[in-house]
Amino acid sequence: MKVYQRLASAFKEEGVSATFGMMGDGNMYWLYELHKLGVKVHEVRHEGAGLGMADGYARITRTPGVATATCGPGVTQLASALVTAARAHSPVVAFCGEAPTTDDEYVQYLDQARFAAACESGFVRLVSPDTTDETVRKAFYLAKLESRPIMLSAPMDIQQKEFEDDEKYKPSSTIFTPGAVHPNAKVLEQAADIIAASKKPVIIVGRGAVWAGAGDAVLKLGDRIGALIATTLLTKTFLNECEYHAGISGTYGSRPSMTLMEEADCVIGVGASMNRYTTEHGYLYPNARYVHIDSKPHLMLSGGRAADCYLQSDARMGVEELEKLLASRGVRSVGYRTPDVKAMLVGHNADRTEFQIDPGTADPREACRVLDEMLPPEIGLMSGSGMTSAFASMLMTRRRAWVQGGHFFGCIGQMLPAAMGAVVATGYKPTVLVDGDASVMMHLAEFETAVRYGMPLLVVVMNNEALGAEYYKLDAHQMDVKPSMITTPDLGGVGVAMGGRGRLARTIDEMRAGVAEFVAKPGPTIIDVRISRTVPSVPYRRIHYGRDE
């Protein structure tokens, strides 16, 4: 067989069932063979979007998503998506063609190893037919071990050589079986000492807690020590069945919850990076001692500060062992668990500030509340990273099958592809993306891809016809906002023109009608919700206007 055939069969043996990318000279034979082997090949309109879809797939499944691009210019199109996936700690394998090794003047030549490194991604190269299996196995091994994108670069001429070995391929799972990190007994005692001495503890759960299945353990520990439960932005709504759930910790938190958190004397971070946004640049917990639980050998807190006690452990195991140790000591505290605190947390996320709404537009806050109410909890939710994303992050509080944000690289435009990858990862279950107009416009062509593959995806465009972040920054500095204002066509109409469904909504009732249609019959749909520019999101009011209401 040819090397490209062995490469394809090796990917199949790694458990790959779907790929995302664009065909070109450098990957076409490999893609052809994958299709023959029964792997679903999703042909996209932009290579970067294909990698974004693989990123979204990986975030949902926690297994490697697979993207592909041809050599040279196909690879350079991956830049933003590679960095975004790296920052998201998404295991991704990008199969990329490479210029022939025998042609130094090949027009699409690129030093792909240097490019991958610049994009914070790993790199492996196919150097000979004999190393085919080793190369694929190493790419998947590194993607899983390092939780980041790995570029597998395959020169076109080597792909066409004969592969002689007839041994069965050994997948990366035969050499890599991740195990849970058990907590150190001595450090457990130190953590228990800090927690037992606290009067007002807060537990902050991050993605590591979700991935480890630590939810029940966190609730049990929180009940024992009287803790508030809070989340990072990326795990919002996790464990919000708890009556003492304070929502998001940090910049996207509510004022009532922040008021409570400022009184904390102990913060227990569970599978959370505890970055500057979670700790509000270090100002949110001024008098607290920190216990940090994470499977990594060590993590620094925001601002280069170290936790008072760092416990390297699987999130679930670490919390379970802490709770057992505290129970053996007879520790039980009321902490924050009082009627007054419970009353403060009822409806604490509500944004009741009054604004004059522009004619012919809707209040973005009401739009998000209605979306949250109308969308069944089994529908997954994705939101972007621009100014409007804060409305969905703070106001859509219903517990869902999964929730994903796009705040890894401060990069707009990445969440439409990621949402499409999530649809594939969930077996084509309905998914909703709430994002801004500038962000959706970046990869609007991929909506046609969603139509082509019949994806049950609802794209709700929070459309203020502006670059929202820049609009409010200019406004806050009393500068002319017109350069940040960009008109858009009827994006619902564009969705219809591409073969899907869509509508333009200038009122909440018009939006309701579109959402109801999607819920009744999920399919590729765009609802272009025209929102009022008079309403900045709460984080933007805080940061740029000095207002916190």
Side-chain angles (χ1 to χ4, degrees), residues 469-481 543-545:
E470 290 67 31
Y471 179 94
Y472 293 107
K473 291 171 186 176
L474 289 171
D475 182 63
H477 287 86
Q478 299 181 337
M479 299 171 70
D480 186 359
V481 298
I543 295 169
H544 301 297
Y545 295 94

Side-chain angles (χ1 to χ4, degrees), residues 481-522:
V481 298
K482 289 181 181 177
S484 67
M485 296 164 58
I486 306 174
T487 59
T488 60
D490 173 358
L491 297 179
V494 172
V496 172
M498 287 184 172
R501 298 200 303 263
R503 66 173 64 213
L504 178 67
R506 294 188 177 276
T507 68
I508 295 298
D509 285 343
E510 289 173 341
M511 188 195 76
R512 281 183 182 274
V515 175
E517 182 181 17
F518 175 82
V519 171
K521 186 179 180 181

Side-chain angles (χ1 to χ4, degrees), residues 360-363 367 460-463 490-493 502-515 526-532:
T361 66
D363 187 326
V460 180
V461 186
M462 303 289 278
N463 190 348
D490 173 358
L491 297 179
R503 66 173 64 213
L504 178 67
R506 294 188 177 276
T507 68
I508 295 298
D509 285 343
E510 289 173 341
M511 188 195 76
R512 281 183 182 274
V515 175
I526 297 178
I527 302 178
D528 182 352
V529 185
R530 297 302 167 103
I531 61 171
S532 179

Side-chain angles (χ1 to χ4, degrees), residues 189-244:
E189 293 281 354
Q190 295 171 355
D193 289 343
I194 293 172
I195 296 168
S198 70
K199 302 299 182 184
K200 289 189 174 182
V202 176
I203 302 175
I204 301 176
V205 287
R207 291 194 299 166
V210 176
W211 296 337
D216 289 342
V218 168
L219 291 174
K220 190 173 182 180
L221 175 62
D223 184 60
R224 174 167 296 282
I225 63 177
L228 284 182
I229 306 296
T231 73
T232 63
L233 174 59
L234 299 177
T235 55
K236 79 183 202 75
T237 76
F238 181 52
L239 304 180
N240 68 358
E241 66 270 24
C242 175
E243 293 179 308
Y244 294 94

Side-chain angles (χ1 to χ4, degrees), residues 62 89 204-215 218 232 234-235 238 269-273 293-296 299 313-317 319:
R62 298 303 302 154
H89 301 291
I204 301 176
V205 287
R207 291 194 299 166
V210 176
W211 296 337
V218 168
T232 63
L234 299 177
T235 55
F238 181 52
V270 182
S273 66
I293 305 172
D294 201 278
S295 59
K296 296 181 179 67
L299 285 172
S313 172
D314 168 81
R316 180 181 60 80
M317 288 184 177
V319 175

